Amino acid sequence: MKTLTTDVAVIGAGTAGMSAWRAARAHTPNVLLIERAQYGTTCARVGCMPSKLLIAAADAAHTIEHAGVFGVHGGGLRVDGEAVMARVRAERDRFVGFVVEAVEIWPVEQRLMGHARFVGPQALQVQTADGPVQVQARRVVIATGSRPAMPAAWRSALGDRLIVNDDVFDWRTLPESVAVVGAGVIGLELAQALHRLGVRVRLYGRGSRLGPVTDPALQKVAAEVFRRGLPLLLDAHHLEVGRDGDKVLVHAVDGAGHVHEERFDFLLAATGRRANVDDIGLELSGLARDGAGVPVYDRRTGQAGDSPVFIAGDAGEDRPLLHEAADEGRIAGDNAGRWPDVRVRPRRAPLAVVFSDPQIALAGATHAELVASGAPFGVGEVSFDDQGRSRVMARNAGALRVYGSPEDGRFLGAEMIGPAAEHIGHLLAWSAQRGDTVQQMLDSPFYHPVVEEGLRTALRMLQRALRMGPPPVERCLDCGPGA
């Protein structure tokens, strides 16, 4: 058996693994990148980028269909499913190509294609196309990513009628109907996009929650807003699925006890993701693991216990987002490279965005996190129903809730459903990371008329709730609430 020795072995060539490889190389040139299947990140292949391509097409269709509110009338909407999916695949492949090219220029002797498994605390066996290779690694970074998770019985019951988000982006055209089970980020984004592109869709959720929103007041807003333009069945009980010829039969009972049965071409399982750590021989690694089988590690260093093994990206099931995976890869790779001189690295303020319509953003501490902390906090809010700029654009739906500390007036976090959430979320995350006070945020400039004026309204309410204001109010008297 061929044997290799390396200072750092990085398992996985996704966003986290690539970042870890680069960071480790700042300390040693002897770094080996091991990839099981193919180069190219989850984001580029089956996540962020292809989903946004599909959403962009859906947004274009929705804009045309609803242009009449402005007195603008076209010649009718026609969605060419083959053309839609051709662009999704072509642009997806372009993004993937950039990633593949980046990895393939790395030294060939520092790349190994095969399935890696621990056979000892610092020993790996990699099954390659040419046979097994033994790798003795002084340090290891586990960056194996994640995969869609679903009930095992569904695969045998539905066969090729069961799909996950990975499958959607290889479609040659749009199907006639899809049941989407799972009302989280992936399910909400894809269900709405497909519905707007003319696919008959129903989104099933086992609870009442849509997306990542944790604030109970905003959860109610989300259900009301999305129900207007997307067939939903939330609080679904006794959800059963089966084949009916070439169709999928979905049986569910809603919160009121009513039975629903509907047939679809496919069932898209958006029921969460699972870390790819169950088939890499962790039982032989000597690492302590949690109930899900993930090594217990310090998210500030990436280190698993006091071992020379580090965790990064979705493999750690911490924050499954690209920018977080990149940060975690840099932290884990840097510490693996400098081990045993492990350094604690500060993490960025949390930021998450859902590209639904209206968009959803969470910045800083969430409502649930603040409640769990037990510390007091104040709340300010604004509705976008009558917010000036939002009404101008006919995108006046949703609400924003902001949270602050009554002890020092510091801004703590926010949750938002509404227009331009992807941009306002960034402003709020930056304020949270800087430790801005609510007063400092209110002292910043707000142009008129913009959606951000709604943020100012919420901050003013928060300032009053904290009993630290409000500052002098200058309001546009003819622009409506939240102007």
Side-chain angles (χ1 to χ4, degrees):
M1 184 184 301
K2 182 179 179 181
T3 300
L4 298 174
T5 301
T6 185
D7 287 337
V8 180
V10 178
I11 310 175
T15 298
M18 293 172 66
S19 294
W21 186 88
R22 294 188 184 101
R25 292 239 326 154
H27 302 281
T28 171
N30 193 11
V31 182
L32 180 65
L33 182 69
I34 306 170
E35 170 53 44
R36 177 177 184 173
Q38 55 191 354
Y39 299 135
T41 65
T42 295
C43 172
R45 286 190 181 277
V46 296
C48 326
M49 303 314 292
S51 66
K52 302 313 166 285
L53 286 161
L54 190 70
I55 290 168
D59 288 346
H62 184 73
T63 298
I64 294 170
E65 186 176 11
H66 292 272
V69 70
F70 302 104
V72 178
H73 304 281
L77 174 65
R78 184 181 71 87
V79 175
D80 183 338
E82 291 187 6
V84 167
M85 295 312 303
R87 181 174 187 267
V88 169
R89 295 193 312 275
E91 289 295 313
R92 181 270 314 269
D93 293 345
R94 179 172 175 270
F95 290 123
V96 171
F98 292 146
V99 180
V100 173
E101 289 172 9
V103 176
E104 288 184 342
I105 64 173
W106 295 354
V108 66
E109 66 273 12
Q110 294 188 350
R111 292 184 277 124
L112 184 62
M113 188 65 73
H115 179 194
R117 293 179 57 88
F118 281 89
V119 292
Q122 292 163 258
L124 304 171
Q125 183 169 304
V126 182
Q127 187 63 45
T128 74
D130 299 322
V133 175
Q134 194 85 11
V135 176
Q136 294 294 329
R138 296 179 179 88
R139 286 90 76 188
V140 178
V141 176
I142 300 173
T144 46
S146 64
R147 65 185 185 275
M150 70 187 77
W154 286 9
R155 179 63 69 187
S156 57
L158 301 181
D160 61 358
R161 299 288 104 178
L162 176 66
I163 59 174
V164 294
N165 59 291
D166 303 33
D167 303 312
V168 170
F169 308 120
D170 282 327
W171 280 345
R172 296 289 157 175
T173 190
L174 295 169
E176 291 185 3
S177 59
V178 177
V180 180
V181 179
V185 175
I186 294 173
L188 179 58
E189 286 187 347
L190 292 182
Q192 187 180 59
L194 293 172
H195 175 68
R196 290 184 167 187
L197 288 167
V199 179
R200 178 170 61 82
V201 169
R202 187 169 301 280
L203 176 61
Y204 295 84
R206 295 183 182 275
S208 59
R209 180 170 163 178
L210 279 167
V213 173
T214 75
D215 191 315
L218 287 182
Q219 288 176 1
K220 294 179 181 178
V221 171
E224 293 169 0
V225 169
F226 288 105
R227 196 181 298 278
R228 297 172 196 164
L230 178 63
L232 299 175
L233 202 163
L234 301 179
D235 292 312
H237 304 286
H238 306 293
L239 182 68
E240 299 175 1
V241 302
R243 284 286 289 262
D244 184 6
D246 288 335
K247 300 293 184 181
V248 174
L249 176 63
V250 180
H251 171 102
V253 179
D254 66 22
H258 300 129
V259 176
H260 298 259
E261 282 194 353
E262 199 167 352
R263 289 165 175 78
F264 302 89
D265 291 329
F266 295 99
L267 186 148
L268 170 58
T271 47
R273 296 183 68 85
R274 179 180 182 181
N276 291 326
V277 295
D278 52 329
D279 63 348
I280 59 172
L282 286 177
E283 65 277 7
L284 300 177
S285 69
L287 300 175
R289 291 174 286 165
D290 63 18
V294 176
V296 178
Y297 73 104
D298 185 339
R299 68 184 303 273
R300 302 169 304 163
T301 64
Q303 187 178 21
D306 59 359
S307 76
V309 178
F310 300 81
I311 316 296
D314 288 7
E317 294 190 331
D318 181 29
R319 296 177 184 170
L321 301 166
L322 179 137
H323 68 280
E324 296 285 0
D327 285 352
E328 291 167 2
R330 282 191 291 271
I331 293 169
D334 177 69
N335 278 326
R338 66 168 64 249
W339 188 86
D341 180 22
V342 174
R343 309 284 181 88
V344 171
R345 300 298 185 189
R347 299 297 298 268
R348 303 179 207 250
L351 172 63
V353 176
V354 184
F355 291 83
S356 52
D357 183 15
Q359 293 182 337
I360 300 173
L362 281 65
T366 66
H367 186 274
E369 289 168 342
L370 292 171
V371 170
S373 74
F377 64 96
V379 180
E381 64 182 346
V382 66
S383 169
F384 291 104
D385 290 351
D386 288 317
Q387 199 273 328
R389 174 66 170 158
S390 302
R391 286 196 69 87
V392 166
M393 299 184 295
R395 298 181 62 199
N396 50 310
L400 165 67
R401 303 254 291 177
V402 291
Y403 318 117
S405 168
E407 296 180 355
D408 55 12
R410 195 164 44 88
F411 171 72
L412 298 175
E415 298 191 22
M416 175 180 176
I417 304 167
E422 63 179 290
H423 305 299
I424 294 176
H426 277 82
L427 299 178
L428 294 170
W430 296 345
S431 285
Q433 182 154 316
R434 286 193 302 262
D436 289 352
T437 65
V438 177
Q439 184 63 63
Q440 287 172 322
M441 297 169 73
L442 284 167
D443 288 341
S444 301
F446 288 83
Y447 200 75
H448 173 74
V450 293
V451 177
E452 284 78 1
E453 289 178 296
L455 167 60
R456 182 176 60 186
T457 298
L459 290 172
R460 284 172 172 167
M461 179 183 288
L462 175 57
Q463 188 79 322
R464 290 193 293 272
L466 299 177
R467 301 178 68 183
M468 295 182 180
V473 174
E474 297 177 5
R475 241 188 96 192
C476 173
L477 298 180
D478 60 350
C479 298

